[in-house]
Amino acid sequence: MKSPIKMNRYSSIAKALSLLIITLFSSCSSIDIFKENSELPIRKPYNSFVIINQEVGIRSFSSQFIDQQVQIHLQEALEANGMVYNKSQPELVIRYTSNEDPRRRETYQNNNLFPYWGYRVWDPWMYNPYFNNRNYSTTSSYELVQVIVDFIDPREDKLLMTLTGVTEVSSEKSKSKKVLKTTDKIISYFLNDLNQSQ
């Protein structure tokens, strides 16, 4: 049977490892939101809205599925906040676009982590300058995705704001989730500004 001291040590190590893993995953999936193009301050409550992309049939994402999901997320979030979808006389017009930019990242690794100690008994190349200074690089592909949403006051014909959400996507599998999380964060930012102005 393990002593209570050892058990506590193991549980604290397990907690530390769990925290490290959570931190790594959350840092990898960060979403940044940028506000720009505020031509008009939010002065009044907006009770109705329309999504231009939905009405005109403009697709802003390469994937039709993701595009439809973004529309659904936008509409559901605004309706949950008490607004009504009105295509004939909306008080708020929403337009969204995207920028999907494929990129490559090069990572350098030095396989010789202990240049002066540790392996010299069984590694004949330990002190060889060529092997000691050799770096290995690996290349990984990712996509920098921007979700850009314009919030427009149609009576004034001016932008209340443009919110751009930026995130990195490492695979097609995770792309839909990351784009929708970004969309949710944009809507939440806008609704926070809207509720504070009232």
Side-chain angles (χ1 to χ4, degrees):
M1 188 170 171
K2 291 180 182 174
S3 70
I5 295 170
K6 283 188 178 177
M7 289 291 285
N8 285 341
R9 187 179 303 151
Y10 288 129
S11 67
S12 64
I13 290 171
K15 284 178 188 174
L17 283 173
S18 300
L19 186 61
L20 179 65
I21 289 167
I22 289 167
T23 305
L24 284 172
F25 277 112
S26 62
S27 65
C28 292
S29 61
S30 70
I31 298 168
D32 296 315
I33 304 293
F34 302 96
K35 180 181 176 180
E36 51 197 348
N37 299 334
S38 295
E39 298 175 332
L40 186 72
I42 300 174
R43 295 194 195 109
K44 57 185 177 183
Y46 291 89
N47 300 311
S48 61
F49 71 98
V50 69
I51 301 171
I52 289 179
N53 304 61
Q54 191 167 316
E55 297 307 314
V56 183
I58 297 172
R59 197 168 99 186
S60 293
F61 288 88
S62 56
S63 161
Q64 186 174 357
F65 173 75
I66 291 176
D67 201 79
Q68 287 174 344
Q69 289 300 306
V70 166
Q71 284 181 20
I72 290 166
H73 271 244
L74 287 167
Q75 185 168 343
E76 286 180 349
L78 292 170
E79 286 175 345
N81 200 57
M83 296 175 74
V84 178
Y85 195 93
N86 182 345
K87 45 183 156 181
S88 55
Q89 288 185 319
E91 294 176 359
L92 178 69
V93 173
I94 294 169
R95 175 181 58 214
Y96 67 87
T97 54
S98 76
N99 185 11
E100 300 163 88
D101 186 13
R103 296 189 176 191
R104 295 176 79 73
R105 180 185 288 118
E106 208 161 2
T107 310
Y108 292 94
Q109 296 173 335
N110 185 347
N111 284 355
N112 188 6
L113 299 177
F114 307 103
Y116 302 114
W117 65 87
Y119 299 127
R120 67 177 180 267
V121 175
W122 53 270
D123 186 354
W125 305 107
M126 179 46 78
Y127 294 107
N128 184 323
Y130 172 72
F131 281 95
N132 280 349
N133 296 319
R134 193 169 181 185
N135 287 328
Y136 297 92
S137 67
T138 55
T139 307
S140 59
S141 298
Y142 70 99
E143 199 172 9
L144 189 70
V145 178
Q146 293 181 324
V147 181
I148 305 149
V149 183
D150 294 323
F151 298 90
I152 306 158
D153 186 314
R155 288 179 191 166
E156 300 283 338
D157 195 24
K158 288 186 177 176
L159 280 161
L160 295 170
M161 68 182 75
T162 298
L163 294 176
T164 303
V166 183
T167 189
E168 283 185 16
V169 177
S170 56
S171 70
E172 279 299 316
K173 247 183 177 180
S174 65
K175 186 172 181 177
S176 175
K177 283 182 185 177
K178 294 291 276 292
V179 166
L180 295 180
K181 276 185 183 178
T182 306
T183 304
D184 290 342
K185 208 166 177 182
I186 286 172
I187 283 294
S188 146
Y189 190 110
F190 173 74
L191 290 176
N192 185 48
D193 270 21
L194 185 65
N195 294 331
Q196 282 183 356
S197 70
Q198 294 173 14

